[in-house]
Amino acid sequence: MQKVLVWLFMFACFSCGEKQVLPVLDIERLQNTNCIVLDDSPGYQIQNYGAVFLDSTSGFHPKDICKMTAMRESLFILIDGELRSYEFPSGKLRQRFLSSHSFTSFALDTLTGTVYGLDGKTAELISFTSDGEENGKMQLDRSYTYTNVSSIGNGPLLLLTDAFPDPAVFKIKAFGRNPVRLPVRGKGNKPMSLPDSLACPLQVVGNGKEGVFYKYVLNDTLYLLKGDSCLPVFTCNMGKDGVRLGNKTDVLKRNRRLCIIGFWETQDYWWIQYRSDYLVKEKLYRCTTMAILYKDLKIKDGGYEFFIQGQTIVMDTRYPLFMNEERTCFLQIYDPADHLKERKRELPYNLEKASDKTNLILNYFYSKQLKKKRI
Protein backbone atom coordinates (compact mmCIF):
# COMPACT_ATOMS: atom_id res chain seq x y z
CA MET A 1 0.00 0.00 0.00
CA GLN A 2 2.84 2.38 0.86
CA LYS A 3 4.49 1.81 -2.53
CA VAL A 4 1.21 2.56 -4.30
CA LEU A 5 0.88 5.86 -2.44
CA VAL A 6 4.47 6.81 -3.29
CA TRP A 7 3.92 6.13 -7.00
CA LEU A 8 0.66 8.10 -7.00
CA PHE A 9 2.52 10.97 -5.34
CA MET A 10 5.24 10.78 -7.98
CA PHE A 11 2.70 10.78 -10.81
CA ALA A 12 0.84 13.79 -9.38
CA CYS A 13 4.09 15.69 -8.82
CA PHE A 14 5.49 15.30 -12.30
CA SER A 15 2.22 15.38 -14.20
CA CYS A 16 1.55 18.76 -12.69
CA GLY A 17 5.11 19.95 -13.36
CA GLU A 18 5.20 18.93 -17.02
CA LYS A 19 2.04 20.87 -17.88
CA GLN A 20 3.55 24.12 -16.70
CA VAL A 21 5.60 26.48 -18.82
CA LEU A 22 8.38 27.27 -16.39
CA PRO A 23 10.45 30.46 -16.34
CA VAL A 24 14.07 30.00 -17.40
CA LEU A 25 17.17 31.00 -15.48
CA ASP A 26 19.75 31.83 -18.14
CA ILE A 27 23.01 31.01 -16.38
CA GLU A 28 25.08 31.37 -19.54
CA ARG A 29 23.92 34.96 -20.00
CA LEU A 30 25.25 35.87 -16.56
CA GLN A 31 28.77 35.54 -17.88
CA ASN A 32 28.19 38.51 -20.15
CA THR A 33 26.96 40.72 -17.32
CA ASN A 34 30.10 41.53 -15.37
CA CYS A 35 29.92 44.05 -12.54
CA ILE A 36 32.92 43.00 -10.48
CA VAL A 37 32.53 45.69 -7.81
CA LEU A 38 29.36 47.71 -7.51
CA ASP A 39 30.09 50.35 -4.93
CA ASP A 40 32.20 51.14 -1.93
CA SER A 41 31.30 51.22 1.75
CA PRO A 42 29.04 49.56 2.64
CA GLY A 43 28.24 48.05 -0.76
CA TYR A 44 25.34 48.47 -3.17
CA GLN A 45 23.33 45.48 -1.98
CA ILE A 46 24.51 45.46 1.65
CA GLN A 47 22.91 47.68 4.26
CA ASN A 48 24.87 46.58 7.33
CA TYR A 49 27.95 44.45 7.95
CA GLY A 50 30.46 43.52 10.60
CA ALA A 51 33.30 41.22 11.66
CA VAL A 52 34.03 39.31 14.89
CA PHE A 53 36.42 36.65 16.12
CA LEU A 54 34.79 33.29 16.89
CA ASP A 55 35.78 31.99 20.33
CA SER A 56 37.74 28.73 20.59
CA THR A 57 38.47 28.35 16.87
CA SER A 58 42.25 28.72 17.11
CA GLY A 59 43.92 26.05 15.00
CA PHE A 60 40.93 25.56 12.69
CA HIS A 61 40.70 26.51 9.02
CA PRO A 62 37.62 27.83 7.17
CA LYS A 63 37.49 24.49 5.33
CA ASP A 64 36.68 22.88 8.70
CA ILE A 65 33.35 24.74 8.73
CA CYS A 66 30.92 22.30 7.12
CA LYS A 67 27.68 24.18 7.74
CA MET A 68 26.52 27.33 9.50
CA THR A 69 23.32 29.25 10.13
CA ALA A 70 21.97 31.90 12.48
CA MET A 71 18.57 32.53 14.01
CA ARG A 72 17.98 35.82 15.79
CA GLU A 73 20.76 36.08 18.43
CA SER A 74 22.11 32.54 17.99
CA LEU A 75 24.74 31.22 15.58
CA PHE A 76 25.04 27.48 14.95
CA ILE A 77 28.09 25.98 13.24
CA LEU A 78 29.40 22.52 12.42
CA ILE A 79 33.19 22.64 12.70
CA ASP A 80 35.31 19.56 12.07
CA GLY A 81 32.42 17.23 13.01
CA GLU A 82 31.44 19.12 16.18
CA LEU A 83 28.23 21.13 16.67
CA ARG A 84 28.51 24.46 18.48
CA SER A 85 26.33 27.40 19.43
CA TYR A 86 27.53 31.03 19.59
CA GLU A 87 26.08 34.39 20.48
CA PHE A 88 25.34 36.35 17.33
CA PRO A 89 26.81 38.68 16.33
CA SER A 90 29.30 38.82 19.22
CA GLY A 91 30.94 35.47 18.37
CA LYS A 92 31.09 34.35 22.02
CA LEU A 93 30.88 30.58 22.49
CA ARG A 94 27.71 29.48 24.26
CA GLN A 95 28.01 25.70 24.23
CA ARG A 96 29.29 22.60 22.54
CA PHE A 97 26.82 19.86 21.66
CA LEU A 98 28.78 17.09 23.35
CA SER A 99 28.49 13.74 21.60
CA SER A 100 30.55 10.71 20.67
CA HIS A 101 29.44 11.21 17.05
CA SER A 102 31.32 13.07 14.34
CA PHE A 103 28.68 14.93 12.35
CA THR A 104 28.63 15.60 8.61
CA SER A 105 25.61 17.93 8.61
CA PHE A 106 23.00 19.42 10.91
CA ALA A 107 19.55 20.99 10.79
CA LEU A 108 17.83 23.52 13.02
CA ASP A 109 14.11 23.31 13.75
CA THR A 110 13.20 26.99 13.96
CA LEU A 111 9.87 26.22 15.67
CA THR A 112 11.18 24.23 18.65
CA GLY A 113 14.87 25.09 18.66
CA THR A 114 15.78 21.41 18.32
CA VAL A 115 19.09 20.70 16.58
CA TYR A 116 19.57 17.50 14.57
CA GLY A 117 23.06 16.17 13.90
CA LEU A 118 23.69 13.75 11.03
CA ASP A 119 26.40 11.13 11.44
CA GLY A 120 26.96 9.93 7.88
CA LYS A 121 29.40 7.18 8.92
CA THR A 122 27.00 5.40 11.27
CA ALA A 123 23.84 6.53 9.37
CA GLU A 124 22.28 8.04 12.51
CA LEU A 125 20.36 11.20 13.33
CA ILE A 126 20.93 12.63 16.80
CA SER A 127 18.46 15.06 18.37
CA PHE A 128 19.59 17.80 20.75
CA THR A 129 17.62 20.26 22.84
CA SER A 130 18.28 23.96 22.38
CA ASP A 131 20.47 23.70 25.51
CA GLY A 132 22.77 21.19 23.81
CA GLU A 133 21.53 18.08 25.60
CA GLU A 134 21.20 14.88 23.55
CA ASN A 135 17.60 13.66 23.75
CA GLY A 136 17.11 11.09 21.01
CA LYS A 137 18.73 8.90 18.38
CA MET A 138 17.38 7.58 15.08
CA GLN A 139 18.95 4.79 13.02
CA LEU A 140 18.74 5.23 9.23
CA ASP A 141 19.02 2.70 6.41
CA ARG A 142 22.72 1.80 6.23
CA SER A 143 22.54 0.98 2.53
CA TYR A 144 22.75 4.73 1.79
CA THR A 145 25.51 7.23 2.46
CA TYR A 146 23.85 10.36 3.86
CA THR A 147 25.49 13.70 3.17
CA ASN A 148 23.07 16.43 4.27
CA VAL A 149 20.11 17.03 6.53
CA SER A 150 17.93 20.14 6.32
CA SER A 151 14.84 21.31 8.15
CA ILE A 152 11.70 21.84 6.08
CA GLY A 153 10.02 23.63 8.98
CA ASN A 154 7.54 22.63 11.70
CA GLY A 155 9.19 19.24 12.25
CA PRO A 156 9.88 17.57 8.86
CA LEU A 157 13.46 16.90 7.78
CA LEU A 158 15.06 16.46 4.35
CA LEU A 159 17.86 13.90 3.86
CA LEU A 160 20.25 13.81 0.88
CA THR A 161 22.48 10.93 -0.17
CA ASP A 162 25.43 10.68 -2.53
CA ALA A 163 23.71 8.15 -4.83
CA PHE A 164 24.67 8.73 -8.47
CA PRO A 165 23.30 9.25 -11.09
CA ASP A 166 19.85 8.95 -9.42
CA PRO A 167 20.05 10.64 -6.02
CA ALA A 168 17.95 9.34 -3.17
CA VAL A 169 16.18 12.20 -1.40
CA PHE A 170 14.16 11.39 1.71
CA LYS A 171 11.63 13.26 3.79
CA ILE A 172 11.11 12.50 7.48
CA LYS A 173 7.76 13.86 8.63
CA ALA A 174 8.83 13.84 12.27
CA PHE A 175 11.91 12.64 14.14
CA GLY A 176 11.64 8.88 14.62
CA ARG A 177 9.29 8.33 11.69
CA ASN A 178 10.31 6.20 8.70
CA PRO A 179 11.89 8.23 5.88
CA VAL A 180 9.88 8.42 2.63
CA ARG A 181 11.77 8.75 -0.65
CA LEU A 182 10.77 11.80 -2.70
CA PRO A 183 10.35 11.63 -6.49
CA VAL A 184 13.04 14.10 -7.51
CA ARG A 185 14.62 13.03 -10.77
CA GLY A 186 18.26 12.35 -11.56
CA LYS A 187 19.89 11.75 -14.89
CA GLY A 188 18.79 8.16 -15.30
CA ASN A 189 21.71 6.97 -17.48
CA LYS A 190 25.49 6.62 -17.67
CA PRO A 191 25.81 5.08 -14.19
CA MET A 192 29.62 4.92 -14.46
CA SER A 193 30.00 8.60 -15.29
CA LEU A 194 30.87 11.35 -12.87
CA PRO A 195 30.37 15.12 -13.03
CA ASP A 196 33.30 16.81 -14.70
CA SER A 197 36.14 18.71 -13.10
CA LEU A 198 34.13 21.73 -11.97
CA ALA A 199 34.09 20.11 -8.52
CA CYS A 200 30.42 21.03 -8.19
CA PRO A 201 28.12 19.63 -5.50
CA LEU A 202 25.76 16.93 -6.68
CA GLN A 203 22.85 18.51 -4.85
CA VAL A 204 22.14 22.02 -3.58
CA VAL A 205 19.49 22.98 -1.03
CA GLY A 206 18.22 26.50 -0.31
CA ASN A 207 15.57 27.89 2.01
CA GLY A 208 12.72 30.10 0.83
CA LYS A 209 9.64 31.68 2.30
CA GLU A 210 7.37 28.84 1.14
CA GLY A 211 9.65 25.86 1.73
CA VAL A 212 12.93 24.19 0.77
CA PHE A 213 14.40 24.46 -2.74
CA TYR A 214 16.28 21.55 -4.27
CA LYS A 215 18.56 21.37 -7.33
CA TYR A 216 20.40 18.31 -8.68
CA VAL A 217 23.45 19.04 -10.80
CA LEU A 218 22.41 16.84 -13.76
CA ASN A 219 18.78 17.98 -13.76
CA ASP A 220 17.99 21.46 -15.10
CA THR A 221 14.92 21.92 -12.88
CA LEU A 222 14.79 23.68 -9.51
CA TYR A 223 12.13 22.18 -7.23
CA LEU A 224 10.21 23.55 -4.26
CA LEU A 225 9.60 20.92 -1.58
CA LYS A 226 6.55 22.17 0.26
CA GLY A 227 4.51 19.92 2.52
CA ASP A 228 3.88 16.74 0.52
CA SER A 229 4.41 18.49 -2.82
CA CYS A 230 7.41 18.56 -5.13
CA LEU A 231 6.81 21.55 -7.41
CA PRO A 232 9.04 22.71 -10.29
CA VAL A 233 9.94 26.40 -9.92
CA PHE A 234 12.15 27.16 -12.92
CA THR A 235 14.53 25.51 -15.36
CA CYS A 236 18.15 26.44 -15.92
CA ASN A 237 19.60 27.16 -19.34
CA MET A 238 23.20 26.07 -18.93
CA GLY A 239 24.08 26.56 -22.60
CA LYS A 240 25.64 24.03 -24.93
CA ASP A 241 28.75 23.93 -22.75
CA GLY A 242 26.99 23.42 -19.44
CA VAL A 243 27.72 20.72 -16.87
CA ARG A 244 29.02 17.65 -18.66
CA LEU A 245 29.85 14.09 -17.76
CA GLY A 246 33.28 12.54 -17.77
CA ASN A 247 35.25 9.93 -15.86
CA LYS A 248 38.49 9.66 -13.97
CA THR A 249 40.54 8.79 -17.04
CA ASP A 250 38.89 11.19 -19.47
CA VAL A 251 38.62 14.68 -17.95
CA LEU A 252 36.70 16.99 -20.23
CA LYS A 253 38.34 20.33 -21.07
CA ARG A 254 35.57 22.19 -22.82
CA ASN A 255 35.34 25.96 -22.69
CA ARG A 256 32.73 27.71 -20.52
CA ARG A 257 31.40 24.86 -18.46
CA LEU A 258 28.89 26.01 -15.87
CA CYS A 259 27.21 24.82 -12.68
CA ILE A 260 25.19 26.25 -9.80
CA ILE A 261 26.83 25.73 -6.41
CA GLY A 262 24.47 27.80 -4.23
CA PHE A 263 21.25 29.77 -4.34
CA TRP A 264 19.30 31.80 -1.82
CA GLU A 265 15.90 33.47 -1.98
CA THR A 266 15.56 36.70 -0.05
CA GLN A 267 12.45 38.86 0.08
CA ASP A 268 13.02 40.49 -3.30
CA TYR A 269 15.82 38.60 -5.07
CA TRP A 270 17.42 35.33 -6.05
CA TRP A 271 21.12 35.22 -5.18
CA ILE A 272 22.85 32.62 -7.40
CA GLN A 273 26.42 31.45 -6.82
CA TYR A 274 27.83 29.68 -9.87
CA ARG A 275 31.08 28.29 -11.20
CA SER A 276 32.53 28.24 -14.70
CA ASP A 277 35.70 27.13 -16.47
CA TYR A 278 37.40 29.09 -19.24
CA LEU A 279 40.00 27.73 -21.60
CA VAL A 280 42.30 30.56 -22.72
CA LYS A 281 45.28 29.70 -24.92
CA GLU A 282 45.18 26.08 -23.75
CA LYS A 283 45.19 27.13 -20.10
CA LEU A 284 42.15 26.37 -17.92
CA TYR A 285 40.83 29.06 -15.58
CA ARG A 286 38.07 28.60 -13.02
CA CYS A 287 35.78 31.38 -11.81
CA THR A 288 33.32 31.21 -8.91
CA THR A 289 31.07 34.21 -8.57
CA MET A 290 27.52 35.39 -7.84
CA ALA A 291 24.62 37.12 -9.53
CA ILE A 292 21.49 38.80 -8.20
CA LEU A 293 18.21 38.32 -10.04
CA TYR A 294 14.72 39.66 -9.54
CA LYS A 295 12.00 37.17 -8.68
CA ASP A 296 11.03 36.99 -12.38
CA LEU A 297 14.66 35.86 -13.06
CA LYS A 298 15.66 39.04 -14.85
CA ILE A 299 19.29 39.80 -14.08
CA LYS A 300 19.83 42.70 -11.70
CA ASP A 301 23.61 42.39 -11.33
CA GLY A 302 26.13 39.67 -12.06
CA GLY A 303 29.79 38.74 -11.95
CA TYR A 304 30.61 39.71 -8.37
CA GLU A 305 33.95 39.02 -6.80
CA PHE A 306 33.73 41.41 -3.84
CA PHE A 307 30.83 43.51 -2.66
CA ILE A 308 32.76 46.14 -0.74
CA GLN A 309 35.58 47.97 -2.46
CA GLY A 310 38.72 48.71 -0.49
CA GLN A 311 37.29 47.59 2.84
CA THR A 312 38.81 45.24 5.38
CA ILE A 313 35.45 43.47 5.74
CA VAL A 314 34.96 41.50 2.57
CA MET A 315 32.37 39.17 1.09
CA ASP A 316 34.29 36.96 -1.30
CA THR A 317 31.95 34.95 -3.52
CA ARG A 318 34.74 32.54 -4.49
CA TYR A 319 34.33 30.88 -1.08
CA PRO A 320 31.40 29.19 0.71
CA LEU A 321 28.55 31.43 1.82
CA PHE A 322 25.84 30.69 4.36
CA MET A 323 22.62 32.49 5.27
CA ASN A 324 20.60 32.98 8.44
CA GLU A 325 17.18 31.40 8.88
CA GLU A 326 15.41 34.74 8.35
CA ARG A 327 17.07 34.94 4.89
CA THR A 328 18.34 38.46 5.53
CA CYS A 329 22.02 37.96 6.37
CA PHE A 330 24.96 36.25 4.63
CA LEU A 331 27.69 34.63 6.73
CA GLN A 332 31.28 33.87 5.78
CA ILE A 333 34.34 32.57 7.63
CA TYR A 334 37.98 33.67 7.17
CA ASP A 335 41.34 32.69 8.57
CA PRO A 336 43.08 35.90 9.75
CA ALA A 337 46.35 34.87 8.06
CA ASP A 338 44.61 34.19 4.75
CA HIS A 339 42.67 37.42 5.08
CA LEU A 340 45.89 39.40 5.30
CA LYS A 341 47.84 37.38 2.77
CA GLU A 342 45.33 37.04 -0.07
CA ARG A 343 43.73 40.45 0.05
CA LYS A 344 46.67 42.51 1.37
CA ARG A 345 44.35 44.20 3.85
CA GLU A 346 44.63 44.97 7.51
CA LEU A 347 42.25 43.31 9.92
CA PRO A 348 38.86 44.99 10.39
CA TYR A 349 39.39 48.02 12.60
CA ASN A 350 37.38 46.58 15.52
CA LEU A 351 39.62 43.45 15.58
CA GLU A 352 43.04 45.11 15.41
CA LYS A 353 43.37 45.44 19.19
CA ALA A 354 42.12 41.94 20.02
CA SER A 355 44.48 40.09 22.36
CA ASP A 356 44.08 36.78 20.48
CA LYS A 357 44.19 37.05 16.70
CA THR A 358 44.40 33.29 16.06
CA ASN A 359 40.65 32.63 16.06
CA LEU A 360 38.67 32.48 12.84
CA ILE A 361 36.88 35.63 11.66
CA LEU A 362 33.13 35.69 11.03
CA ASN A 363 31.98 38.35 8.57
CA TYR A 364 28.25 39.04 8.27
CA PHE A 365 26.32 41.06 5.68
CA TYR A 366 22.67 42.15 5.83
CA SER A 367 21.10 42.48 2.39
CA LYS A 368 18.97 45.42 1.33
CA GLN A 369 15.36 45.14 0.33
CA LEU A 370 14.04 46.35 -2.98
CA LYS A 371 12.82 49.94 -2.83
CA LYS A 372 9.15 49.98 -3.74
CA LYS A 373 7.97 52.65 -6.10
CA ARG A 374 5.56 55.19 -4.68
CA ILE A 375 2.16 55.23 -6.31
Short mmCIF file of all heavy atoms in Angstrom, two decimals, residues 3 8 36 38 62 84 95 153 195 255 295 309 337:
data_model
loop_
_atom_site.label_atom_id
_atom_site.label_comp_id
_atom_site.label_asym_id
_atom_site.label_seq_id
_atom_site.Cartn_x
_atom_site.Cartn_y
_atom_site.Cartn_z
N LYS A 3 3.89 1.61 -1.22
CA LYS A 3 4.49 1.81 -2.53
C LYS A 3 3.51 2.43 -3.50
O LYS A 3 3.88 3.27 -4.32
CB LYS A 3 5.00 0.47 -3.08
CG LYS A 3 6.22 -0.07 -2.35
CD LYS A 3 6.72 -1.34 -3.00
CE LYS A 3 7.97 -1.85 -2.30
NZ LYS A 3 8.47 -3.09 -2.93
N LEU A 8 1.71 7.12 -6.70
CA LEU A 8 0.66 8.10 -7.00
C LEU A 8 1.17 9.51 -6.75
O LEU A 8 0.90 10.45 -7.50
CB LEU A 8 -0.58 7.83 -6.14
CG LEU A 8 -1.42 6.62 -6.55
CD1 LEU A 8 -2.52 6.38 -5.52
CD2 LEU A 8 -2.03 6.82 -7.94
N ILE A 36 32.07 43.63 -11.48
CA ILE A 36 32.92 43.00 -10.48
C ILE A 36 32.74 43.65 -9.11
O ILE A 36 32.59 43.01 -8.10
CB ILE A 36 34.40 43.07 -10.91
CG1 ILE A 36 34.58 42.33 -12.24
CG2 ILE A 36 35.31 42.46 -9.85
CD1 ILE A 36 34.16 40.87 -12.19
N LEU A 38 30.46 46.79 -7.24
CA LEU A 38 29.36 47.71 -7.51
C LEU A 38 29.56 49.08 -6.87
O LEU A 38 29.26 50.10 -7.44
CB LEU A 38 28.05 47.10 -7.01
CG LEU A 38 27.55 45.91 -7.82
CD1 LEU A 38 26.21 45.46 -7.28
CD2 LEU A 38 27.42 46.26 -9.29
N PRO A 62 38.98 27.69 7.71
CA PRO A 62 37.62 27.83 7.17
C PRO A 62 37.08 26.57 6.52
O PRO A 62 35.86 26.33 6.54
CB PRO A 62 37.77 28.97 6.15
CG PRO A 62 38.86 29.81 6.71
CD PRO A 62 39.83 28.84 7.33
N ARG A 84 28.33 23.41 17.48
CA ARG A 84 28.51 24.46 18.48
C ARG A 84 27.44 25.53 18.33
O ARG A 84 26.88 25.71 17.26
CB ARG A 84 29.88 25.12 18.34
CG ARG A 84 31.07 24.22 18.58
CD ARG A 84 32.36 25.01 18.49
NE ARG A 84 33.54 24.19 18.69
CZ ARG A 84 34.78 24.67 18.75
NH1 ARG A 84 34.98 25.99 18.62
NH2 ARG A 84 35.80 23.87 18.94
N GLN A 95 27.93 27.10 23.82
CA GLN A 95 28.01 25.70 24.23
C GLN A 95 28.45 24.81 23.09
O GLN A 95 28.32 25.16 21.92
CB GLN A 95 26.64 25.22 24.72
CG GLN A 95 25.55 25.31 23.66
CD GLN A 95 24.17 25.26 24.25
OE1 GLN A 95 23.99 25.38 25.45
NE2 GLN A 95 23.17 25.07 23.42
N GLY A 153 10.84 22.75 8.15
CA GLY A 153 10.02 23.63 8.98
C GLY A 153 8.91 22.88 9.67
O GLY A 153 8.32 21.94 9.10
N PRO A 195 30.33 13.72 -12.58
CA PRO A 195 30.37 15.12 -13.03
C PRO A 195 31.80 15.52 -13.34
O PRO A 195 32.75 15.01 -12.76
CB PRO A 195 29.82 15.89 -11.83
CG PRO A 195 29.03 14.91 -11.07
CD PRO A 195 29.72 13.60 -11.26
N ASN A 255 35.38 24.57 -23.13
CA ASN A 255 35.34 25.96 -22.69
C ASN A 255 33.98 26.29 -22.09
O ASN A 255 32.96 25.74 -22.49
CB ASN A 255 35.60 26.87 -23.89
CG ASN A 255 36.08 28.23 -23.46
OD1 ASN A 255 36.58 28.39 -22.36
ND2 ASN A 255 35.93 29.21 -24.32
N LYS A 295 12.79 38.39 -8.82
CA LYS A 295 12.00 37.17 -8.68
C LYS A 295 11.52 36.62 -10.02
O LYS A 295 11.25 35.43 -10.14
CB LYS A 295 10.79 37.42 -7.76
CG LYS A 295 11.18 37.60 -6.29
CD LYS A 295 11.86 36.36 -5.75
CE LYS A 295 12.22 36.49 -4.29
NZ LYS A 295 11.07 36.48 -3.41
N GLN A 309 34.30 47.58 -1.87
CA GLN A 309 35.58 47.97 -2.46
C GLN A 309 36.50 48.62 -1.42
O GLN A 309 36.12 49.54 -0.72
CB GLN A 309 35.33 48.94 -3.60
CG GLN A 309 36.60 49.34 -4.35
CD GLN A 309 36.30 50.28 -5.50
OE1 GLN A 309 35.25 50.90 -5.52
NE2 GLN A 309 37.22 50.38 -6.44
N ALA A 337 45.13 34.88 8.88
CA ALA A 337 46.35 34.87 8.06
C ALA A 337 46.02 34.93 6.58
O ALA A 337 46.64 35.67 5.82
CB ALA A 337 47.16 33.62 8.38
#
